[in-house]
Amino acid sequence: MSMPCSGPPEPHSCSGVEGLGPRERVTLRASAVSYRGRLFRSLAHYEADGRGGLDLARDRALGGDFTGVEPMGLLWSLTPVGSEDPCFSQMPRGVMKTPLKVEVTVHHAPQQQAVPLGPALASAQVQRWFSSPELSRARLQAGRLRGVFLLPPGDGPFPGLIDMFGDGGLNESRASLLACRGFATLALPFFGYEDLPPIMKDLNLDYFEEAAKFVQSHPKVKGPHIGVIGSGKGAELAFSMASFLPNIAAVVSINGCVSNTATTLTCGRSILPGLPFNLDKISAMDSGVYDVKEALEDPLDPAYRESRIPLEKASAHFLFIVGEDDRHWKSSVYADIAVKHLTEHGKANFTLLSYPNAGHRIDPPYSPFFSVYLDPVLGVPILGGGQLKAHAVAQIESWKKILEFLHLHLGGSEAGSALTG
């Protein structure tokens, strides 16, 4: 029996089951445990061919968490089991030496949907690596900077990148995948990691400028121009870096806001107050999860004009990636504001990709789906939005576009830089 497997930079299919009865109906179930001990599961129903074989790259799933030919469906449909605190819903972050381990089991298909699965007929363990032993990984403690710097093998020079998330701590999974694609990538936390502030407080662009100079001046980086990719708050910080700092050539925004939000950001002589959340517009659901989509104040409200990030000052190229069902905030609206603003200033340095029914956390391909997660600012579980299959499509398709965009504007050759596992 062989099962789905994957290696950097992207998973590939090597999946199948043999030795079944002709046209036998079976259920495949995948199980994984997060680094915080949370169980994730997915399942799909299949029918073997006339010789008792099953090929996930060829055969259609007949039901379960997805339908159709989806070789990687058991990975991208992994979702948390139960209703525990969503802060335990995160997948592994230490990706160099600890791959995501997924157990795939084969069962007789139940006759009725509510009937539990019987004993496993066969099983296999799949390891999804987000990195490669060929990468160089350096823990960064230079001055105030904290994070991890990842370098592809070889002498370079490589295009330089900074990668940021908005939920605190260090998340190097995407940075590792980008390094596997030939980018010298700094995974940059700004709170909730080592001796950085435990919660997000007022920020100073000096910290991010120091990070940019570190990457730009590294001997293996093809400077001085670098790129920045960010999700949520990380995207809005990427906007600010491009607007106030030199030599930022490319910015990827994943569901970012056009205003500085929540906390004050000092940018030299400019101070951007945080666009506030209106707590009266937060609604609680019976499950204890909160809907905060309407809570962030309107960036176009004249009262909050000073929070707006001056994108017109940036010389960078922008890639806006939007999940149209983002429940964290109105990402589609913010991207439209940004595009209109740049156009009004005579700029055409942007591309907008909008994905129907995708939610807030658009991670690299085949990442598990989070409909609920813990908000680091409000400190409560909130809706992230999105529908399972549509969100998976957004993750797969946007990743291709991200790589194309970064190679176009930072250089490098994708075909020549991809590592294989």
Side-chain angles (χ1 to χ4, degrees):
M1 169 180 161
S2 60
M3 283 296 174
C5 66
S6 60
E10 295 174 2
H12 58 277
S13 174
C14 54
S15 51
V17 182
E18 298 177 354
L20 300 171
R23 304 300 173 188
E24 182 178 357
R25 294 278 184 118
V26 293
T27 295
L28 271 60
R29 181 169 72 181
S31 303
V33 177
S34 76
Y35 78 113
R36 285 180 167 174
R38 182 72 182 274
L39 177 63
F40 286 66
R41 274 186 175 161
S42 62
L43 63 81
H45 309 304
Y46 288 91
E47 179 179 281
D49 62 21
R51 289 187 275 183
L54 177 62
D55 183 350
L56 302 192
R58 176 199 66 197
D59 299 324
R60 296 176 55 84
L62 305 176
D65 292 323
F66 55 91
T67 59
V69 179
E70 295 288 348
M72 304 305 297
L74 289 171
L75 285 184
W76 60 249
S77 63
L78 283 168
T79 53
V81 174
S83 57
E84 295 94 338
D85 190 326
C87 70
F88 292 101
S89 298
Q90 300 164 12
M91 297 307 285
R93 289 186 175 183
V95 297
M96 289 296 287
K97 297 181 180 179
T98 55
L100 172 61
K101 297 177 180 178
V102 183
E103 183 183 28
V104 183
T105 53
V106 182
H107 307 259
H108 289 301
Q111 297 299 313
Q112 298 178 1
Q113 186 173 359
V115 175
L117 294 178
L121 304 175
S123 66
Q125 188 179 85
V126 180
Q127 293 187 353
R128 182 182 181 190
W129 290 89
F130 289 78
S131 189
S132 164
E134 297 175 84
L135 293 184
S136 168
R137 179 184 184 273
R139 183 178 170 186
L140 191 62
Q141 289 185 310
R144 295 174 297 174
L145 290 183
R146 299 294 179 264
V148 166
F149 190 53
L150 295 143
L151 278 170
D155 296 329
F158 308 106
L161 266 179
I162 294 175
D163 183 23
M164 296 182 290
F165 287 82
D167 50 3
L170 174 68
N171 188 338
E172 58 182 288
S173 57
R174 185 169 63 198
S176 295
L177 290 173
L178 289 164
C180 287
R181 283 294 187 181
F183 296 97
T185 309
L186 172 60
L188 183 67
F190 49 95
F191 72 100
Y193 176 71
E194 293 187 346
D195 56 354
L196 295 174
I199 60 174
M200 189 167 60
K201 298 180 178 180
D202 291 346
L203 299 169
N204 195 307
L205 199 66
D206 287 350
Y207 177 79
F208 304 93
E209 183 176 19
E210 192 172 331
K213 288 181 177 178
F214 171 85
V215 176
Q216 290 162 342
S217 62
H218 194 280
K220 288 192 175 184
V221 171
K222 181 172 58 178
H225 295 98
I226 64 170
V228 189
I229 177 172
S231 299
K233 180 70 178 180
E236 123 197 354
L237 288 166
F239 289 153
S240 297
M241 291 177 69
S243 299
F244 290 100
L245 302 181
N247 298 320
I248 306 297
V251 170
V252 178
S253 162
I254 302 174
N255 287 325
C257 184
V258 290
S259 291
N260 177 59
T261 65
T263 60
T264 296
L265 178 64
T266 299
C267 307
R269 296 182 179 179
S270 300
I271 297 178
L272 305 183
L275 183 68
F277 288 89
N278 185 337
L279 299 183
D280 291 335
K281 294 183 179 180
I282 297 177
S283 58
M285 304 170 66
D286 292 339
S287 61
V289 176
Y290 292 81
D291 186 343
V292 303
K293 183 173 182 177
E294 301 294 330
L296 190 64
E297 296 288 6
D298 183 2
L300 295 179
D301 187 328
Y304 305 114
R305 182 181 295 111
E306 293 183 358
S307 298
R308 285 281 298 278
I309 301 167
L311 291 179
E312 72 280 0
K313 294 182 178 181
S315 58
H317 293 268
F318 294 100
L319 176 61
F320 301 100
I321 295 173
V322 168
E324 294 180 11
D325 191 37
D326 185 354
R327 300 296 303 178
H328 178 82
W329 54 25
K330 300 176 182 179
S331 298
S332 294
V333 173
Y334 306 150
D336 289 342
I337 291 172
V339 166
K340 182 179 179 182
H341 183 74
L342 290 170
T343 302
E344 288 174 347
H345 282 80
K347 292 179 174 285
N349 55 339
F350 57 84
T351 300
L352 172 61
L353 302 176
S354 190
Y355 294 96
N357 298 317
H360 187 69
R361 284 295 302 264
I362 301 179
D363 290 323
Y366 318 116
S367 297
F369 175 63
F370 301 114
S371 60
V372 175
Y373 62 94
L374 191 70
D375 183 85
V377 176
L378 301 174
V380 297
I382 66 170
L383 288 175
Q387 298 177 16
L388 182 59
K389 175 62 183 294
H391 195 83
V393 169
Q395 294 190 144
I396 294 167
E397 294 302 319
S398 66
W399 182 248
K400 298 174 185 176
K401 297 298 184 182
I402 288 170
L403 294 175
E404 291 173 2
F405 174 83
L406 292 175
H407 281 293
L408 175 63
H409 296 293
L410 297 180
S413 171
E414 182 178 354
S417 61
L419 302 177
T420 57

